[in-house]
Amino acid sequence: MKLRVLFAALAAVMALPAAAQDTVKIGAILPMSGPFASYGRQIDNGMKLYMKQHGDVVAGKKIEVLVRDDTGPAPEITKRQAQELIVKDKVNLLAGFGLTPNGLAVAPLITEAKMPAVIMNAATSIITAKSPYFVRVSMTLPQVTAPMATWALQNGIKKVYVLVSDYGPGYDAEGQFKKTFTAGGGEIVGDVRVPLKSPDFSAYLQRIKDTNPQAVFLFLPAGEQGVAFMKGFHERGLDKAGIKLIATGDISDDSVIDSEGDAALGLITSHHYSDAHKSPLNAAFLKGYAEIDPQMRPNFMAVAGYDGMALIYAALKKTGGSTDGDKFMAAVKGMKWESPRGPVMIDPATRDIVQNIYIRRVEKIKGHYYNVEFDTFKAVKDPGKQ
Ligand code: PHB
């Protein structure tokens, strides 16, 4: 009897490593609390939705996601969590990264461990150049900004004031806008960088009003900041003064656009995803998302979480379930698939995503506000790498 118990215990212990080998563990580092918590919620929901639609077994491996909360822009926390996930939890892949400083922080670790890391938001161009084990399924700021500058030039906008968030993605947006816009004959009449955390827009808005540009080009990180800016722009009468607002789609992301309300009507933005995108795949995505999180409209981050899992599943199918860093990275290079945002591809040279960038206008439809796509720049690569 005792012997049998001992054998059973032994068998259980011995079964462990075998079971572990049949599992692919993904460590997802995301802001799940603090002012950027909606990023984590969106991305986590997107990952869950993909798994719900496609099952949790791929190439004979059970997929397991371990979520860690980085609390917001916190590179030190992210680094420690990545270390623990790799060493203690023995994950096979890393994913997530809502903010640029956090993505950058893990570059040396993943290079050392030869561990693939799928970036699901962080959008400063340089990140993917910091390790050959990064692949990005979100966007880069130069990629979404260049079409906005081109569109502005084509539509008679000649004098622009530039306002961006004072960190990596803001510098990328500012740099690319100025480059494309001035190369096409446009003039920059002023610029300002605002703090990443809790910016107070009143003084900036007044300065812009006094400068009286034809338009403001803007990048702010998605979420509540956009709501505050749009309200201020409207309340201080910049719109009534005839100043146009153009921006990357982060400002009017689908999860906050209803809170912006009428203040956002007519706003023109450039981005890779709108929940108003018309395709059967997007319709299925929206339906599935509503079942997972009925309180929230999915935005571009949810789509990146979803597509990140699509990429992982497709890569594992190609490698026969292997997560070996070099095999996995070889599998993702050049990969093409259909996303709820439209057709996408991983650029084999940069490991960044190639995708359509849409020009959209905010419209009110049946009591809700939407970014309605009306123009498309097809298969845009990250100009930040060129
Ligand atoms: C980033 O930190 O890279 C970031 C955050 C929010 C955005 C875009 C980029 O909307």
Side-chain angles (χ1 to χ4, degrees):
M1 192 62 187
K2 264 187 190 157
L3 212 59
R4 245 206 253 154
V5 174
L6 184 69
F7 271 132
L10 256 179
V13 169
M14 292 181 57
L16 271 179
Q21 280 166 17
D22 290 336
T23 305
V24 168
K25 284 194 190 178
I26 304 166
I29 307 179
L30 293 167
M32 301 301 295
S33 63
F36 297 92
S38 68
Y39 295 17
R41 181 166 158 191
Q42 289 278 356
I43 293 171
D44 186 41
N45 286 341
M47 294 174 79
K48 282 191 179 128
L49 175 56
Y50 191 87
M51 294 180 71
K52 190 176 164 199
Q53 288 179 342
H54 297 87
D56 62 355
V57 177
V58 56
K61 307 275 182 174
K62 179 137 168 57
I63 308 296
E64 199 183 310
V65 179
L66 287 69
V67 176
R68 296 290 179 269
D69 177 12
D70 61 32
T71 73
E76 286 311 316
I77 296 177
T78 303
K79 210 156 116 188
R80 179 164 44 73
Q81 287 171 333
Q83 236 149 10
E84 277 180 19
L85 283 164
I86 296 171
V87 176
K88 223 176 91 231
D89 300 302
K90 306 223 178 317
V91 297
N92 306 98
L93 304 168
L94 287 175
F97 312 108
L99 291 135
T100 284
N102 301 8
L104 283 173
V106 303
L109 281 176
I110 64 167
T111 304
E112 171 80 22
K114 295 185 188 294
M115 179 165 300
V118 182
I119 301 172
M120 294 170 167
N121 189 54
T124 301
S125 178
I126 195 85
I127 303 175
T128 43
K130 296 290 185 188
S131 171
Y133 296 96
F134 273 134
V135 54
R136 176 158 41 197
V137 294
S138 48
M139 59 158 177
T140 76
L141 260 306
Q143 181 184 42
V144 294
T145 297
M148 190 72 263
T150 303
W151 187 90
L153 288 164
Q154 289 167 350
N155 286 272
I157 296 175
K158 295 270 184 305
K159 290 180 195 288
V160 169
Y161 195 105
V162 176
L163 180 146
V164 298
S165 191
D166 192 5
Y167 80 125
Y171 309 152
D172 266 10
E174 178 189 315
Q176 187 65 48
F177 189 87
K178 287 181 175 174
K179 190 174 166 192
T180 308
F181 194 63
T182 56
E187 189 189 334
I188 305 295
V189 295
D191 56 34
V192 67
R193 295 171 174 183
V194 307
L196 170 61
K197 287 188 196 168
S198 333
D200 173 359
F201 295 113
S202 32
Y204 306 118
L205 285 164
Q206 192 54 48
R207 206 189 304 167
I208 294 171
K209 197 174 177 190
D210 296 343
T211 310
N212 194 28
Q214 206 179 349
V216 180
F217 167 75
L218 174 98
F219 164 77
L220 289 173
E224 294 306 318
Q225 292 192 17
V227 182
F229 186 90
M230 293 304 302
K231 291 237 146 93
F233 194 84
H234 190 65
E235 276 162 19
R236 287 185 171 259
L238 276 80
D239 48 355
K240 278 180 216 80
I243 301 171
K244 292 194 180 74
L245 187 57
I246 55 178
T248 64
D250 309 80
I251 180 89
S252 58
D253 92 67
D254 309 305
S255 69
V256 299
I257 192 170
D258 271 343
S259 323
E260 294 174 0
D262 280 351
L265 275 180
L267 168 70
I268 304 283
T269 60
S270 55
H271 231 207
H272 52 298
Y273 179 70
S274 160
D275 68 348
H277 182 71
K278 290 207 174 7
S279 75
L281 186 63
N282 189 42
F285 173 80
L286 295 177
K287 188 166 174 281
Y289 193 94
E291 284 160 15
I292 285 184
D293 192 343
Q295 307 304 325
M296 199 175 222
R297 263 168 75 180
N299 68 4
F300 61 97
M301 297 192 196
V303 172
Y306 185 87
D307 281 334
M309 291 308 286
L311 172 125
I312 290 171
Y313 276 40
L316 290 174
K317 279 181 194 157
K318 273 199 186 173
T319 64
S322 170
T323 52
D324 171 81
D326 294 315
K327 283 189 194 149
F328 188 94
M329 294 312 294
V332 302
K333 289 178 189 171
M335 191 180 270
K336 288 183 181 167
W337 72 100
E338 162 88 6
S339 155
R341 64 187 107 168
V344 296
M345 181 185 103
I346 299 299
D347 184 340
T350 62
R351 291 159 281 106
D352 265 315
I353 196 158
V354 182
Q355 59 191 338
N356 292 346
I357 302 301
Y358 306 93
I359 309 294
R360 312 95 51 85
R361 182 183 294 107
V362 176
E363 289 177 21
K364 189 175 186 181
I365 302 164
K366 292 185 190 151
H368 290 281
Y369 297 81
Y370 292 93
N371 294 293
V372 178
E373 297 167 349
F374 65 90
D375 207 350
T376 306
F377 288 70
K378 287 216 167 109
V380 180
K381 283 188 182 187
D382 174 25
K385 304 280 180 350
Q386 286 158 12

